Amino acid sequence: MSVGACSRPATHGAAGSAGGQLRIAVGIDASYAPFFVADQKGLFKEAGLDVHLVQFGSGGEAVDALSSGQVQLAGSSDTTTIAQLRQNPSLRAMYSYEASGDYIKVVLRNGLEAPAAGQKFGIVPGLGQISTEKYLEAHGVRPESVKMIKATPTDMPALLGRGDIDGYVLWEPWPTAALRQGIGHVVARTGDYNWLYHHWAITTQPWLAGHENDALTVARVLDKATQLVESDPAAAAAATKSAVNVAEDQTITAIRDIDFGVKNLTTDDIAAAQSVVDFYKKLGALTEQPDLRSAMLADWYKKSAQ
């Protein structure tokens, strides 16, 4: 769910085996605060892991790095992971570590209060696009009746300010950027139309088969780190600023909007993921039904922790 250039690009050849360095792909925004807290507080090291966080500018880049073996684990949104299943059916989602219906917001230019046919929306493929389409559908507006303009998140405030688009649906800090520039206002959050995003901890089946103990240890560390993020937002904001230079007030706002916590994936999550598959099928991004029950390891954390 992150944007911008990689601030610490991946390198090749990391084995990620027990006793060796474990490389975890993360983004460069506040939603990855638990990883930054765990890293800076030495929680991975205390658990006996030599972890290196590798920053990527987009979730797709992180998943690609996972598929190519540059990293062994990654944090990624559910929509990004599902989109990659065609290219790499060995991807495995082990558990969720955050969810929110508040972090992604609908921004419209000043003077507009609702979507309508003929409007122009800036979209980021993947999570941004599906969040936009679900917003339109919730208001009875057919997505094909509006003009979708693909751009990066950093482009959106400028496009809105110039009048090139009428709105966008994105995560922070881009909604706040529009507010601060006086060019738009927030009219909804995705939870208002029953759409929540999730971040999953993902890996590949070949790596997991040989390193389940390492994967479980990371899960336990993240479980502790998510609790620290919720209990001490200021410390989490400082860790995030140090890692990716996000303003501390932005991280604190994000923590209010996001529910952090390691949770098992369930059969209900698999059913919800099917709506994402249906969305990608409609776009033509997926032509075949992926095996969600294999890709999403329901109750993996609960079973592995026993």
Side-chain angles (χ1 to χ4, degrees), residues 5 16 18 28 38 51 85 87 96 113 136 148 153 169 193 203 222 231 244-245 251 256 263 281 287 298:
I28 53 175
V51 166
L85 286 175
Q87 290 84 4
S96 168
E113 297 295 335
L136 296 171
M148 302 282 192
V169 185
Y193 49 96
T203 187
L222 280 183
S231 64
V244 290
N245 200 31
T251 299
R256 295 194 193 105
K263 295 181 180 179
K281 281 185 173 181
T287 55

Side-chain angles (χ1 to χ4, degrees), residues 198-280:
H198 299 80
H199 262 206
W200 293 342
I202 61 175
T203 187
T204 61
Q205 180 58 37
W207 185 85
L208 183 61
H211 304 90
E212 190 153 355
N213 286 338
D214 287 345
L216 178 58
T217 301
V218 171
R220 287 171 169 157
V221 169
L222 280 183
D223 187 30
K224 183 176 181 180
T226 56
Q227 294 177 49
L228 291 174
V229 169
E230 292 284 356
S231 64
D232 194 349
T240 302
K241 180 175 176 58
S242 176
V244 290
N245 200 31
V246 172
E248 294 184 32
D249 61 334
Q250 290 182 10
T251 299
I252 290 174
T253 296
I255 292 169
R256 295 194 193 105
D257 289 344
I258 298 172
D259 294 323
F260 289 100
V262 171
K263 295 181 180 179
N264 279 291
L265 298 176
T266 68
T267 53
D268 287 343
D269 294 312
I270 295 174
Q274 184 60 46
S275 70
V276 180
V277 171
D278 294 340
F279 167 76
Y280 282 126

